[in-house]
Amino acid sequence: MPQSHTQRAPKRLLHIALALLATAASQTQAQDAPPPTHFQALRLSTDDTPVRLDGRLDDAVWQRAPRHSHFAQRRPTANGPVPEGVRTEVQVAVDDRALVFAVRAWDTQPPQVLLSRRDGVQADQDHIGIWLDTTGRRDAAVFVKAWAEWTLRQSREAGQRQGEGTLGLEALWRPRADWVFNTTLNPDFAQVEIDAPQARGNRSLAIELPEKRSYFLESADVLGLTAPAFYSRTVADPRWGVRSTWRGAQADATALVLEDRAGALVLRGRPWGTEAWQLSAPSSSVLLRGRWQGEQSMLGLMAGERKVAADQTNRVAGLDGVGRWKGEDDHLQWRWHGLVSENTLQADPQGRTMARPGAPERGARLWAQATHSNPEWFNFAEASWVAPQFVNLQGFSSQAGLWQAKLELNRRLGEHTLPLGAEGLTLYETELHLGVEESRSLRDRRLDEPGGEVIYRALRLGGWLQGPWRTVAWANVGPNQQRARSGGLLHPTPNLQGGIETSPWPWLTRLTATGSWGRQLDSELDRLGSGGWWALEAKTRWGLPGGQSLELDPVFTGLRIGPEAGHAGLQDLGWQVLALWHLDARRSLRAIVQQERSQRGAAGASAGSLSQSQHRSLMWRQRFGPQWHVSLGLQWDASTGQPTRREAFAKLQWDSGL
């Protein structure tokens, strides 16, 4: 095998040159010369001096390699010119075994290097990414990687102690550049962060939560569904899983088969809310997905099945597509999907699944969306129709038995400078917004649903702007209307909504605040009250002595509906603080403190109620070389009406490093 012409520098040096390319965040430049059609790489011969991966670009190779500086600015002005002081330059070298990238990214300020979670890097931070197209000649070498983990867990709940030890395995096999197979056996997700509290105005609808488990993030790009036909959060505790993914130049496909232990929560949509069903036995899941992609279009198909028993199955299949048209200034994109389902499950009064008597229920879901943009307008239209009998127990379907329509018109006003300060305040983009939306129920004889009732109606007027410090702000006001249940009143719910996202200082990499104030619908009591909801999230990074760093990420949410006309008020509060202390690149300590509280006041003969949940966890993680990892953790959970649970775990992980 030919010897590689790259050699490793001492471990204390950063391997910067191997992980650089692309956009360098917003630090890129457009040149006057015609841009090249592709990157040109310098081919290294056996006579060339090996490249040292030490973060320095003083090797002889970089004096000969072609320099590339034709990039497009993304923000604040798309495709606009960038000052000379923040330009970017890229070089590429290749030998028989490696691609080596070198990047010079100029900046007007010295870089701040802080240890951070790899998955915690935000688009508003200084970073450089590489995207490689590996589906060309298909002559890549075989790639095999394996992970093994051994977990010991000791827990105490309701006075009962329980200890267990588990062995888990995960493997990845890439026989060639366009194929990858990965499998997992008995995975343990003790290290996965708990979900932060979520703010929501309508408490009857489920909220889609992000996936944080690495196994389910693989092939997310291939799934690329215009419909949430697969929602991995419905898989709670898998025994095993096998997945194969193929990525071609104009097509891709993935297949997933897994078995989940009993107790997983799945979603059944209704017109007026979402039902959560608990699977009463272990279940198996199958998902098949394929896509064909052209220059301006995409056509895909999918099929999935969730089976609890021979007489308890849920199947979904369908087609989806994307089309694009581009004129001189106008851009048009349309997306659509059509799904059908067959279901033989239902839930008992306790919410546990059981076989559905009689014939299977069959339903369909149709959805379409169109987006139009040009320098003066950004417009958006969407329509959907979901039959009452449509059920997808391995997807996210918060509502069924309704039709919805939405139209949004945004008039772009361009850049403006406000007379604030000595130099004025520049708003890079400003827009005026008009939105209308309506949803109505469909007739369902089985549930005595008459159909045709307005569920939600909205008219929104507002604006959007983008300013300095990567700031985006928006506000809407409108005379909305909502109905909580079939046969109930259509309540007027006028309110003001707004939000802001900014990165004002190096230590505060992101600050996001959203909220609403006005007349709020208490869906549980089908009544109105004055109040609102709000959410505040911050991500901070602090440099500490000795090369250490601290990440501190607080989240606060709240909902308040005041008492009115003899009805009790409602108040929800939730907060989470995640702290991650990086002692060095090998050792870290993570702490999470979270609390949620929901309180309804007393009114008349009705007594008040209070429910709370609390979470505390602490985890130490240390790497012993590139292959061995050790995690030690403590966790404490308590909630109203449930026994307190205390848990300690130790996890040993091995990475093949192949």
Side-chain angles (χ1 to χ4, degrees):
M1 179 177 294
Q3 182 179 0
S4 172
H5 288 77
T6 59
Q7 62 182 16
R8 296 188 181 276
K11 294 182 179 179
R12 64 184 177 86
L13 299 177
L14 295 176
H15 295 179
I16 298 177
L18 184 61
L20 304 177
L21 183 64
T23 60
S26 61
Q27 305 175 1
T28 54
Q29 180 189 26
Q31 301 291 326
D32 294 332
T37 58
H38 60 278
F39 279 95
Q40 296 179 348
L42 174 66
R43 180 73 184 187
L44 300 179
S45 68
T46 55
D47 297 330
D48 286 311
T49 303
V51 179
R52 290 180 61 85
L53 304 182
D54 57 3
R56 301 174 63 88
L57 302 181
D58 52 5
D59 299 84
V61 168
W62 306 124
Q63 308 304 316
R64 299 160 44 209
R67 300 173 185 267
H68 305 273
S69 56
H70 297 272
F71 298 101
Q73 180 189 170
R74 182 184 175 197
R75 297 176 67 179
T77 304
N79 297 316
V82 178
E84 179 73 11
V86 291
R87 67 188 185 279
T88 299
E89 189 175 86
V90 179
Q91 296 172 278
V92 185
V94 59
D95 64 9
D96 291 335
R97 296 184 58 189
L99 277 172
V100 185
F101 299 92
V103 174
R104 291 179 176 87
W106 282 262
D107 201 342
T108 56
Q109 300 177 356
Q112 293 188 351
V113 180
L114 294 178
L115 292 171
S116 178
R117 290 169 291 176
R118 183 176 60 183
D119 61 348
V121 176
Q122 303 296 323
D124 52 19
Q125 297 173 250
D126 288 338
H127 72 283
I128 294 170
I130 299 176
W131 286 263
L132 296 177
D133 179 8
T134 62
T135 60
R137 297 174 57 186
R138 305 179 181 178
D139 55 359
V142 174
F143 176 84
V144 180
K145 195 174 183 67
W147 303 263
E149 57 184 30
W150 181 41
T151 306
L152 295 176
R153 179 176 282 104
Q154 182 74 34
S155 62
R156 181 176 181 178
E157 185 173 349
Q160 301 293 320
R161 293 183 179 272
Q162 182 179 357
E164 63 176 350
T166 61
L167 179 64
L169 178 68
E170 187 171 338
L172 179 71
W173 176 43
R174 188 185 296 274
R176 64 187 201 185
D178 55 347
W179 274 102
V180 61
F181 299 85
N182 61 332
T183 182
T184 186
L185 176 64
N186 201 31
D188 183 89
F189 301 122
Q191 296 170 275
V192 177
E193 300 167 6
I194 186 173
D195 293 310
Q198 302 287 323
R200 52 182 177 179
N202 189 341
R203 296 161 48 85
S204 62
L205 296 179
I207 295 178
E208 189 171 2
L209 299 173
E211 180 58 79
K212 302 179 181 180
R213 299 168 294 180
S214 59
Y215 177 76
F216 293 105
L217 296 177
E218 171 65 33
S219 304
D221 61 318
V222 177
L223 285 175
L225 292 164
T226 60
F230 179 69
Y231 182 44
S232 57
R233 294 297 296 265
T234 63
V235 180
D237 189 11
R239 288 177 174 169
W240 58 266
V242 179
R243 177 172 47 224
S244 172
T245 302
W246 170 75
R247 295 178 174 88
Q250 291 187 310
D252 47 40
T254 188
L256 171 66
V257 181
L258 61 84
E259 181 176 313
D260 195 21
R261 293 178 174 87
L265 291 178
V266 295
L267 304 178
R268 168 67 194 263
R270 300 292 189 187
W272 311 100
T274 312
E275 297 177 3
W277 294 358
Q278 185 177 42
L279 299 184
S280 57
S283 63
S284 63
S285 290
V286 178
L287 177 67
L288 305 175
R289 166 67 166 163
R291 294 187 306 178
W292 171 85
Q293 300 185 74
E295 288 291 332
Q296 301 295 332
S297 61
M298 184 278 289
L299 180 64
L301 56 87
M302 67 80 58
E305 179 187 74
R306 191 73 177 262
K307 178 182 289 187
V308 181
D311 59 346
Q312 300 181 45
T313 60
N314 175 247
R315 299 185 179 95
V316 177
L319 298 171
D320 68 320
V322 177
R324 302 177 185 89
W325 175 84
K326 181 179 179 180
E328 183 176 354
D329 291 321
D330 293 275
H331 300 261
L332 181 64
Q333 175 178 276
W334 55 93
R335 308 169 68 210
W336 59 271
H337 69 248
L339 302 174
V340 295
S341 70
E342 180 182 84
N343 180 62
T344 62
L345 290 96
Q346 67 178 25
D348 63 17
Q350 288 73 43
R352 295 177 59 84
T353 56
M354 56 183 291
R356 183 179 185 276
E361 60 177 341
R362 297 181 175 90
R365 173 188 171 112
L366 303 175
W367 175 87
Q369 180 191 89
T371 303
H372 167 258
S373 65
N374 60 32
E376 297 181 345
W377 290 92
F378 179 83
N379 304 320
F380 166 89
E382 180 178 297
S384 64
W385 180 89
V386 188
Q389 298 79 21
F390 180 80
V391 183
N392 184 6
L393 298 185
Q394 63 178 358
F396 185 85
S397 184
S398 60
Q399 286 182 283
L402 78 165
W403 64 261
Q404 296 175 298
K406 182 188 300 185
L407 174 66
E408 294 186 3
L409 304 177
N410 298 277
R411 180 67 167 90
R412 290 174 167 168
L413 303 178
E415 181 176 312
H416 294 274
T417 300
L418 303 180
L420 299 175
E423 299 181 357
L425 178 63
T426 300
L427 304 179
Y428 300 110
E429 291 285 347
T430 54
E431 294 181 3
L432 292 179
H433 171 78
L434 168 64
V436 293
E437 181 177 354
E438 180 158 321
S439 59
R440 290 177 178 255
S441 63
L442 299 176
R443 186 177 182 182
D444 187 354
R445 293 186 178 90
R446 188 174 64 88
L447 298 180
D448 295 325
E449 175 70 53
E453 295 180 292
V454 174
I455 301 172
Y456 180 69
R457 177 181 289 158
L459 171 64
R460 294 182 293 270
L461 298 172
W464 176 94
L465 62 85
Q466 177 181 315
W469 308 294
R470 304 183 181 96
T471 299
V472 172
W474 60 273
N476 289 322
V477 63
N480 303 338
Q481 295 176 294
Q482 286 181 268
R483 181 179 275 116
R485 58 174 63 100
S486 179
L489 294 176
L490 181 61
H491 299 282
T493 56
N495 60 72
L496 171 67
Q497 297 184 2
I500 185 171
E501 180 175 327
T502 184
S503 303
W505 301 290
W507 59 268
L508 182 56
T509 60
R510 187 173 67 179
L511 176 65
T512 304
T514 57
S516 173
W517 184 261
R519 301 291 286 170
Q520 303 292 320
L521 174 63
D522 187 340
S523 58
E524 183 178 346
L525 300 182
D526 192 11
R527 61 96 184 183
L528 284 178
S530 297
W533 60 265
W534 55 272
L536 178 66
E537 178 180 358
K539 293 187 178 296
T540 68
R541 306 291 183 266
W542 306 86
L544 302 177
Q548 302 180 18
S549 67
L550 176 66
E551 299 180 58
L552 194 62
D553 299 347
V555 176
F556 302 93
T557 65
L559 168 71
R560 182 186 183 279
I561 303 178
E564 192 171 298
H567 294 289
L570 175 67
Q571 183 170 323
D572 289 354
L573 291 173
W575 59 270
Q576 181 194 88
V577 176
L578 185 152
L580 186 58
W581 178 21
H582 299 275
L583 285 83
D584 51 40
R586 295 175 178 265
R587 298 175 299 161
S588 64
L589 181 65
R590 187 192 74 190
I592 299 177
V593 180
Q594 178 171 312
Q595 183 164 331
E596 295 182 83
R597 172 190 175 98
S598 180
Q599 182 175 13
R600 185 177 291 279
S606 300
S609 63
L610 174 65
S611 62
Q612 299 185 87
S613 65
Q614 301 179 66
H615 170 88
R616 310 285 189 270
S617 64
L618 189 67
M619 187 184 73
W620 170 270
R621 180 176 172 86
Q622 182 162 354
R623 299 171 61 96
F624 296 93
Q627 293 182 299
W628 293 96
H629 313 252
V630 172
S631 302
L632 304 175
L634 299 172
Q635 186 168 309
W636 178 83
D637 292 279
S639 59
T640 303
Q642 300 293 327
T644 299
R645 179 179 177 84
R646 299 176 176 86
E647 180 178 284
F649 70 87
K651 177 183 287 189
L652 176 64
Q653 294 175 277
W654 171 79
D655 185 339
S656 69
L658 299 176

